[in-house]
Amino acid sequence: MPDNRLRSRDRKLALIGPIVIAAAVGAIITFAVFARDRETPPAPPPVQAPPAALAPLPPPPLSRTELIAAANEAAGAYADRSSEKAQVKDALIGRRFSLKIPFGCDGAQVSPSGAQAFAEYDATKKTLRLVARPAAWKTLPLVQGLADVDQIESVEGFWIPRPWSASDACPPRRDDTIPVTPTAPTAPTLGLARLFMTGGPRALQRGERPYEFVQKIADGDVAALSRSFNLVLQGRLVGFDRSTALRCWSESTAHRPICLYAVEFDRIAFEDGADSKVLAEWRE
């Protein structure tokens, strides 16, 4: 009779061999993978692109102080015939400017003088009228001396009053003793001029059309008639012939040079002098 128990034992032994071999192979593969992972250095972090350079901010608009300082330097260069000093003003072309010209500092006038900006009260209509009238400068010797004067149709602009002061507020009242023979007020010597060339658009030319704003005034409103105002001028220096921001001229060495900036106006406005509230504006 055959011994079946012996055969069963042989089958078990036959199965153990492949299992042991498979386990050994698996261990070898696992060790090889682990060893490879240890030998392989970690991937470097992704290289980040440097941040894009921010565009430089434009310089702030030129102030009254800066405009006066550059004009004084240009006037000195003109008087001294110094070409080295004159180069400074050329760098201003393209710069923006913003300044306020106070007016109505003595209150509203019933019969205003020929000032370029004034506040006028009409007692009959009970109205307060603000007026800013650009000057016509085509006949100024400074303009007539330009190389391209034949191509200039008109020149309009505003004087910067009291160019010896950096303040853009009404001058303080003074109780100085008036001399027996008063001296005439100093003539204006610094202005912002807009040139209109022949054949160009005429829409921006003011001619006989001043900037005006009319406001109703209640009876007895004394405060409304005693306040001051600001003429706001904002724009860009374009220069004469696109090569020099301003030009100066004087009739003799005994006269202070007159200097004009060549500009383009972007915004002209009337403001209340007390709180800078905008009363009217023109954008161009």
Side-chain angles (χ1 to χ4, degrees):
M1 184 177 205
D3 190 352
N4 293 329
R5 290 177 300 176
L6 184 60
R7 291 181 180 178
S8 175
R9 179 183 177 185
D10 292 340
R11 284 197 299 271
K12 290 180 179 180
L13 290 175
L15 293 174
I16 290 174
I19 293 173
V20 171
I21 294 173
V25 172
I28 293 172
I29 294 174
T30 301
F31 177 78
V33 172
F34 177 75
R36 185 193 63 185
D37 292 342
R38 291 188 59 185
E39 293 175 359
T40 304
V47 178
Q48 296 183 352
L54 297 177
L57 295 176
L62 294 166
S63 64
R64 175 189 177 93
T65 301
E66 292 169 311
L67 290 171
I68 291 175
N72 286 338
E73 188 169 356
Y78 175 86
D80 300 338
R81 296 298 190 264
S82 172
S83 59
E84 293 181 1
K85 292 181 181 179
Q87 297 299 321
V88 177
K89 62 182 181 295
D90 298 341
L92 298 179
I93 293 180
R95 289 287 303 274
R96 302 194 61 77
F97 66 87
S98 178
L99 76 157
K100 297 181 180 182
I101 298 176
F103 68 97
C105 297
D106 296 325
Q109 306 296 311
V110 177
S111 298
S113 61
Q116 68 176 358
F118 57 85
E120 179 182 21
Y121 176 63
D122 188 324
T124 302
K125 298 180 180 179
K126 306 296 183 185
T127 58
L128 178 67
R129 187 170 71 110
L130 307 183
V131 179
R133 194 183 306 277
W137 290 335
K138 174 67 183 294
T139 59
L140 286 182
L142 187 154
V143 176
Q144 289 297 310
L146 296 175
D148 59 349
V149 64
D150 293 338
Q151 304 174 33
I152 299 175
E153 181 174 335
S154 67
V155 180
E156 298 178 353
F158 293 97
W159 294 111
I160 299 178
R162 306 173 67 246
W164 54 86
S165 172
S167 174
D168 59 3
C170 286
R173 297 181 181 276
R174 299 172 58 177
D175 297 326
D176 297 338
T177 302
I178 300 177
V180 177
T181 306
T183 304
T186 303
T189 57
L190 178 59
L192 304 176
R194 177 159 52 182
L195 279 66
F196 296 98
M197 310 307 290
T198 302
R202 296 183 174 181
L204 297 180
Q205 294 189 38
R206 300 301 299 186
E208 298 298 322
R209 298 180 299 114
Y211 298 93
E212 293 189 54
F213 170 74
V214 179
Q215 185 179 51
K216 276 286 187 179
I217 301 297
D219 289 336
D221 191 353
V222 179
L225 300 179
S226 60
R227 56 182 171 159
S228 64
F229 305 92
N230 293 322
L231 171 63
V232 182
L233 302 175
Q234 296 175 334
R236 185 170 60 92
L237 304 184
V238 296
F240 294 93
D241 299 326
R242 307 287 173 173
S243 62
T244 180
L246 71 162
R247 286 187 177 274
C248 300
W249 174 88
S250 66
E251 66 178 273
S252 74
T253 57
H255 292 78
R256 178 182 175 86
I258 296 173
C259 297
L260 296 180
Y261 284 98
V263 306
E264 288 180 353
F265 292 117
D266 295 337
R267 178 175 178 263
I268 296 176
F270 289 137
E271 285 184 352
D272 190 296
D275 55 12
S276 297
K277 177 183 177 182
V278 177
L279 302 175
E281 67 176 9
W282 296 261
R283 293 187 179 272
E284 302 177 355

